[in-house]
Amino acid sequence: MLAAAARRVRPSVTVSTRVSSRHIAMRASIIDAHVHVWPSAEDFAYEDGKAPPVPGAANELIAAMDANGVRAAMIVQPINLGFDHTYVERALETHADRFVGMCLANPSAGDAGVEALEKLLAGRFRGVRFNPGLWPNGKGMDGEIGRKMMRACAARTPPAVVGFMCFNGLDLHVDEIRALLKAEPTVPVLIDHFGFTKGVDDPNFELLKALGRDFPQVSVKVSAHFRVRVETSDGGNSTATQLRELVKVFGPHRLIWGSDYPFVTAEEGGYADAVRVLERQIGDDDPALLANIRGDNFLRLFPGALGEA
């Protein structure tokens, strides 16, 4: 059971699929730690091949959040907008009590990219996404520019959070991540979407857990379940099993839920199902753990971001 993993005081049992009325009421405190927003193709000149696959206007996200009892969300700058943060900045300004921002690092710009990051962090953004695919060929994230960007994050009060998106495999970049963690131990780090590991038998899942054991500043987004869910031999839910194992390593306070809106709206059940997924996986077994992963841990990682003292 997830509660047992978190507290290590009682035997493990099967993850519950029950959803109680108490969980419905708890949705008022939910924070979605991974969403994107973008303008329509009529309102923005997208580069060829980068037009959004689904609608993602900020006002539509607010409506979806309100319909599902989601209090707030963190907008991650989407790749289809490149390094033009104007639309996201406008959303952050318009809905300052509902949105927190994570910008996108531009390492290909060199020192100019570092300066751009410093300006964004001095504004409304509280974190930055490191996408290793954006680093120039032959350059690792732990090179000079990546280290300067990490220092820029460490210089903020509180330090800005760095999110790593290892879409092509954690093993390709884990040494770089480790080097940056050692270089700037005060910078909190988020690993996106279960580290893009697919099931507990994925070799990269062990690398993810090792990061949790070795670096207390690392948290994991248990987000975008639809991206990493795989069939299991026993017919079980692979992300529920991963969640149990991650709680054993990261504990109850270093796991954070996110939906990957609006991409999730194209999946069966849409956004509403993404909001409920942890209710099914944790059920009535541990309401405190559910509250931690779906909101409280975010507030710890981003103190004051939503006006809390």
Side-chain angles (χ1 to χ4, degrees), residues 24 53 56 87 106 141 145 156 165 192 202 211 241 278 288 304:
I24 302 300
Y87 186 80
N106 182 8
M141 291 186 293
I145 295 302
R156 302 302 304 169
M165 189 202 71
D192 286 350
D202 185 333
L211 283 175
T241 306
L278 292 186

Side-chain angles (χ1 to χ4, degrees), residues 14-221:
T14 302
V15 174
S16 172
T17 58
R18 295 170 294 165
V19 179
S20 72
S21 59
R22 179 171 67 252
H23 292 148
I24 302 300
M26 285 175 62
R27 290 181 188 163
S29 62
I30 295 172
I31 299 174
D32 188 341
H34 198 103
V35 304
H36 304 287
V37 295
W38 46 62
S40 69
E42 290 75 26
D43 297 326
F44 186 84
Y46 288 97
E47 296 180 14
D48 289 344
K50 290 191 176 181
V54 292
N59 64 322
E60 294 179 3
L61 171 57
I62 288 288
M65 291 164 60
D66 288 346
N68 290 279
V70 177
R71 171 192 173 195
M74 182 167 72
I75 301 175
V76 180
Q77 171 74 4
I79 192 63
N80 55 2
L81 293 180
F83 306 108
D84 183 348
H85 290 76
T86 305
Y87 186 80
V88 172
E89 285 179 313
R90 188 179 304 121
L92 297 176
E93 292 170 359
T94 304
H95 304 284
D97 61 334
R98 303 292 299 274
F99 290 148
V100 179
M102 176 169 278
C103 61
L104 181 63
N106 182 8
S108 63
D111 286 332
V114 179
E115 293 174 6
L117 173 60
E118 291 171 340
K119 290 179 181 179
L120 290 166
L121 294 179
R124 294 186 176 274
F125 290 91
R126 291 290 301 269
V128 56
R129 187 179 224 190
F130 278 23
N131 179 344
L134 297 177
W135 257 256
N137 288 336
K139 302 288 186 180
M141 291 186 293
D142 58 340
E144 179 184 5
I145 295 302
R147 290 174 183 267
K148 286 183 177 180
M149 289 180 170
M150 288 289 286
R151 285 197 292 273
C153 292
R156 302 302 304 169
T157 303
V161 176
V162 174
F164 287 99
M165 189 202 71
C166 298
F167 183 81
N168 292 317
L170 187 59
D171 58 320
L172 300 177
H173 309 290
V174 68
D175 290 340
E176 299 166 34
I177 294 172
R178 283 179 166 270
L180 292 174
L181 288 166
K182 291 176 182 177
E184 298 295 340
T186 66
V187 174
V189 161
L190 269 173
I191 306 295
D192 286 350
H193 304 339
F194 292 84
F196 284 92
T197 61
K198 297 184 177 181
V200 295
D201 295 327
D202 185 333
N204 282 326
F205 192 60
E206 291 302 318
L207 296 178
L208 179 63
K209 291 193 294 182
L211 283 175
R213 286 190 291 266
D214 296 343
F215 298 99
Q217 70 267 44
V218 174
S219 297
V220 173
K221 282 186 191 173

